[in-house]
Short mmCIF file of all heavy atoms in Angstrom, two decimals:
data_model
loop_
_atom_site.label_atom_id
_atom_site.label_comp_id
_atom_site.label_asym_id
_atom_site.label_seq_id
_atom_site.Cartn_x
_atom_site.Cartn_y
_atom_site.Cartn_z
N MET J 119 -8.89 5.48 0.81
CA MET J 119 -8.61 4.75 2.04
C MET J 119 -9.34 3.42 2.05
O MET J 119 -10.47 3.30 1.54
CB MET J 119 -9.09 5.58 3.25
CG MET J 119 -8.89 4.89 4.58
SD MET J 119 -9.57 5.96 5.87
CE MET J 119 -9.87 4.71 7.10
N ALA J 120 -8.72 2.39 2.58
CA ALA J 120 -9.36 1.10 2.69
C ALA J 120 -8.92 0.46 4.04
O ALA J 120 -7.79 0.66 4.45
CB ALA J 120 -8.93 0.17 1.55
N GLY J 121 -9.85 -0.21 4.69
CA GLY J 121 -9.54 -0.90 5.92
C GLY J 121 -9.62 -0.01 7.13
O GLY J 121 -9.70 1.23 7.03
N VAL J 122 -9.60 -0.65 8.27
CA VAL J 122 -9.66 0.06 9.59
C VAL J 122 -8.62 -0.59 10.49
O VAL J 122 -8.71 -1.73 10.81
CB VAL J 122 -11.06 -0.02 10.22
CG1 VAL J 122 -11.09 0.64 11.57
CG2 VAL J 122 -12.10 0.55 9.30
N VAL J 123 -7.61 0.16 10.91
CA VAL J 123 -6.49 -0.40 11.66
C VAL J 123 -6.96 -0.95 13.03
O VAL J 123 -6.44 -1.95 13.53
CB VAL J 123 -5.36 0.60 11.82
CG1 VAL J 123 -5.70 1.72 12.80
CG2 VAL J 123 -4.09 -0.12 12.24
N GLY J 124 -8.00 -0.34 13.63
CA GLY J 124 -8.42 -0.77 14.94
C GLY J 124 -9.16 -2.14 14.93
O GLY J 124 -9.44 -2.69 15.98
N SER J 125 -9.44 -2.67 13.74
CA SER J 125 -10.17 -3.93 13.64
C SER J 125 -9.30 -5.14 13.72
O SER J 125 -9.76 -6.25 13.55
CB SER J 125 -10.97 -3.93 12.30
OG SER J 125 -10.06 -4.02 11.24
N GLY J 126 -7.96 -4.96 13.89
CA GLY J 126 -7.05 -6.07 13.87
C GLY J 126 -6.63 -6.39 12.47
O GLY J 126 -5.94 -7.38 12.20
N ASP J 127 -6.95 -5.56 11.56
CA ASP J 127 -6.68 -5.71 10.16
C ASP J 127 -5.58 -4.77 9.75
O ASP J 127 -4.51 -4.80 10.34
CB ASP J 127 -8.04 -5.40 9.46
CG ASP J 127 -8.10 -5.66 8.01
OD1 ASP J 127 -8.30 -6.79 7.60
OD2 ASP J 127 -7.93 -4.68 7.26
N LEU J 128 -5.81 -3.88 8.83
CA LEU J 128 -4.85 -2.83 8.50
C LEU J 128 -5.58 -1.73 7.77
O LEU J 128 -6.71 -1.92 7.28
CB LEU J 128 -3.69 -3.32 7.62
CG LEU J 128 -3.96 -3.50 6.14
CD1 LEU J 128 -2.61 -3.53 5.40
CD2 LEU J 128 -4.72 -4.76 5.89
N GLU J 129 -4.99 -0.54 7.66
CA GLU J 129 -5.54 0.53 6.87
C GLU J 129 -4.52 0.91 5.82
O GLU J 129 -3.34 0.84 6.07
CB GLU J 129 -5.92 1.73 7.72
CG GLU J 129 -4.76 2.47 8.37
CD GLU J 129 -5.17 3.64 9.20
OE1 GLU J 129 -6.36 3.91 9.35
OE2 GLU J 129 -4.30 4.28 9.75
N VAL J 130 -5.06 1.25 4.62
CA VAL J 130 -4.28 1.73 3.53
C VAL J 130 -4.68 3.15 3.17
O VAL J 130 -5.89 3.35 2.85
CB VAL J 130 -4.40 0.80 2.29
CG1 VAL J 130 -3.60 1.30 1.13
CG2 VAL J 130 -4.01 -0.65 2.67
N THR J 145 4.08 0.54 8.30
CA THR J 145 4.27 0.50 9.76
C THR J 145 3.49 -0.71 10.28
O THR J 145 2.25 -0.71 10.14
CB THR J 145 3.77 1.79 10.45
OG1 THR J 145 4.46 2.89 9.86
CG2 THR J 145 4.07 1.74 11.93
N THR J 146 4.19 -1.68 10.79
CA THR J 146 3.55 -2.93 11.21
C THR J 146 3.86 -3.30 12.67
O THR J 146 4.95 -3.04 13.13
CB THR J 146 3.90 -4.10 10.27
OG1 THR J 146 3.29 -5.25 10.72
CG2 THR J 146 5.41 -4.27 10.17
N SER J 147 2.90 -3.92 13.28
CA SER J 147 3.09 -4.37 14.67
C SER J 147 3.82 -5.69 14.74
O SER J 147 4.19 -6.15 15.83
CB SER J 147 1.75 -4.47 15.38
OG SER J 147 0.92 -5.47 14.74
N VAL J 148 4.05 -6.31 13.57
CA VAL J 148 4.70 -7.64 13.52
C VAL J 148 6.11 -7.48 13.01
O VAL J 148 6.33 -7.14 11.86
CB VAL J 148 3.88 -8.57 12.61
CG1 VAL J 148 4.54 -9.97 12.61
CG2 VAL J 148 2.43 -8.67 13.04
N TRP J 155 6.28 -8.76 3.19
CA TRP J 155 5.76 -7.50 2.71
C TRP J 155 6.34 -7.21 1.34
O TRP J 155 5.66 -6.81 0.40
CB TRP J 155 6.10 -6.38 3.67
CG TRP J 155 5.08 -6.24 4.77
CD1 TRP J 155 5.22 -6.73 6.05
CD2 TRP J 155 3.81 -5.64 4.69
NE1 TRP J 155 4.11 -6.44 6.77
CE2 TRP J 155 3.22 -5.76 5.95
CE3 TRP J 155 3.14 -4.98 3.67
CZ2 TRP J 155 1.95 -5.29 6.21
CZ3 TRP J 155 1.85 -4.50 3.98
CH2 TRP J 155 1.28 -4.68 5.20
N ILE J 175 0.70 2.49 5.00
CA ILE J 175 -0.01 1.28 5.48
C ILE J 175 0.30 1.12 6.97
O ILE J 175 1.43 1.11 7.39
CB ILE J 175 0.49 0.00 4.76
CG1 ILE J 175 0.19 0.11 3.26
CG2 ILE J 175 -0.15 -1.26 5.31
CD1 ILE J 175 0.78 -0.98 2.42
N ASN J 176 -0.80 1.05 7.78
CA ASN J 176 -0.71 0.83 9.20
C ASN J 176 -1.29 -0.56 9.45
O ASN J 176 -2.47 -0.76 9.33
CB ASN J 176 -1.42 1.90 9.96
CG ASN J 176 -0.80 3.26 9.74
OD1 ASN J 176 0.38 3.45 9.94
ND2 ASN J 176 -1.59 4.21 9.25
N ASP J 177 -0.41 -1.47 9.82
CA ASP J 177 -0.79 -2.90 9.93
C ASP J 177 -0.85 -3.42 11.37
O ASP J 177 -0.02 -3.07 12.17
CB ASP J 177 0.24 -3.73 9.14
CG ASP J 177 0.02 -5.23 9.32
OD1 ASP J 177 -1.12 -5.67 9.14
OD2 ASP J 177 0.98 -5.92 9.61
N CYS J 178 -1.86 -4.21 11.63
CA CYS J 178 -1.96 -4.89 12.91
C CYS J 178 -1.90 -6.39 12.76
O CYS J 178 -2.62 -7.15 13.43
CB CYS J 178 -3.33 -4.52 13.58
SG CYS J 178 -3.30 -2.89 14.34
N GLY J 179 -1.06 -6.87 11.82
CA GLY J 179 -0.89 -8.30 11.65
C GLY J 179 -1.78 -8.94 10.64
O GLY J 179 -2.09 -10.13 10.73
N ALA J 180 -2.17 -8.20 9.60
CA ALA J 180 -3.00 -8.75 8.57
C ALA J 180 -2.24 -9.81 7.74
O ALA J 180 -1.03 -9.75 7.62
CB ALA J 180 -3.51 -7.65 7.63
N THR J 181 -2.95 -10.74 7.18
CA THR J 181 -2.36 -11.79 6.33
C THR J 181 -2.00 -11.19 4.96
O THR J 181 -2.61 -10.16 4.57
CB THR J 181 -3.27 -12.94 6.14
OG1 THR J 181 -4.45 -12.50 5.46
CG2 THR J 181 -3.67 -13.57 7.49
N PRO J 182 -1.08 -11.81 4.19
CA PRO J 182 -0.77 -11.30 2.87
C PRO J 182 -2.00 -11.17 1.97
O PRO J 182 -2.11 -10.22 1.17
CB PRO J 182 0.18 -12.28 2.30
CG PRO J 182 0.92 -12.84 3.54
CD PRO J 182 -0.18 -12.91 4.59
N GLY J 183 -2.96 -12.06 2.07
CA GLY J 183 -4.16 -11.96 1.25
C GLY J 183 -5.01 -10.73 1.60
O GLY J 183 -5.52 -10.07 0.69
N VAL J 184 -5.09 -10.39 2.87
CA VAL J 184 -5.81 -9.24 3.28
C VAL J 184 -5.07 -7.95 2.85
O VAL J 184 -5.68 -6.98 2.37
CB VAL J 184 -6.09 -9.21 4.81
CG1 VAL J 184 -6.61 -7.87 5.26
CG2 VAL J 184 -6.99 -10.37 5.19
N VAL J 185 -3.75 -7.99 2.96
CA VAL J 185 -2.93 -6.84 2.50
C VAL J 185 -3.21 -6.56 1.03
O VAL J 185 -3.53 -5.43 0.64
CB VAL J 185 -1.44 -7.11 2.73
CG1 VAL J 185 -0.59 -6.04 2.07
CG2 VAL J 185 -1.13 -7.19 4.21
N ARG J 186 -3.15 -7.57 0.22
CA ARG J 186 -3.36 -7.44 -1.22
C ARG J 186 -4.79 -6.92 -1.53
O ARG J 186 -4.98 -6.03 -2.33
CB ARG J 186 -3.15 -8.77 -1.94
CG ARG J 186 -3.45 -8.79 -3.38
CD ARG J 186 -2.30 -8.29 -4.17
NE ARG J 186 -2.67 -8.14 -5.59
CZ ARG J 186 -1.89 -8.56 -6.57
NH1 ARG J 186 -0.74 -9.19 -6.33
NH2 ARG J 186 -2.24 -8.40 -7.83
N MET J 187 -5.79 -7.44 -0.85
CA MET J 187 -7.17 -7.05 -1.04
C MET J 187 -7.35 -5.55 -0.68
O MET J 187 -7.94 -4.80 -1.43
CB MET J 187 -8.11 -7.90 -0.21
CG MET J 187 -9.57 -7.52 -0.33
SD MET J 187 -10.68 -8.52 0.68
CE MET J 187 -10.24 -7.94 2.29
N ARG J 188 -6.80 -5.14 0.49
CA ARG J 188 -6.95 -3.72 0.87
C ARG J 188 -6.21 -2.78 -0.06
O ARG J 188 -6.66 -1.72 -0.41
CB ARG J 188 -6.48 -3.51 2.29
CG ARG J 188 -7.25 -4.25 3.34
CD ARG J 188 -8.64 -3.67 3.50
NE ARG J 188 -9.31 -4.36 4.57
CZ ARG J 188 -10.56 -4.79 4.50
NH1 ARG J 188 -11.29 -4.56 3.41
NH2 ARG J 188 -11.06 -5.45 5.49
N LEU J 189 -5.02 -3.20 -0.55
CA LEU J 189 -4.27 -2.38 -1.51
C LEU J 189 -5.07 -2.24 -2.84
O LEU J 189 -5.20 -1.15 -3.39
CB LEU J 189 -2.90 -2.99 -1.79
CG LEU J 189 -1.85 -2.70 -0.78
CD1 LEU J 189 -0.61 -3.58 -1.02
CD2 LEU J 189 -1.40 -1.25 -0.82
N GLU J 191 -8.34 -2.50 -3.19
CA GLU J 191 -9.51 -1.65 -2.94
C GLU J 191 -9.12 -0.15 -2.96
O GLU J 191 -9.80 0.64 -3.61
CB GLU J 191 -10.11 -1.94 -1.55
CG GLU J 191 -10.78 -3.27 -1.45
CD GLU J 191 -11.21 -3.59 -0.05
OE1 GLU J 191 -10.80 -2.94 0.90
OE2 GLU J 191 -12.03 -4.55 0.09
#
Side-chain angles (χ1 to χ4, degrees):
M119 177 182 156
V122 178
V123 73
S125 68
D127 186 84
L128 80 160
E129 66 181 3
V130 177
T145 304
T146 178
S147 63
V148 182
W155 276 99
I175 299 173
N176 297 304
D177 174 48
C178 282
T181 63
V184 171
V185 170
R186 175 82 188 228
M187 180 180 69
R188 296 291 183 225
L189 279 168
E191 289 173 348

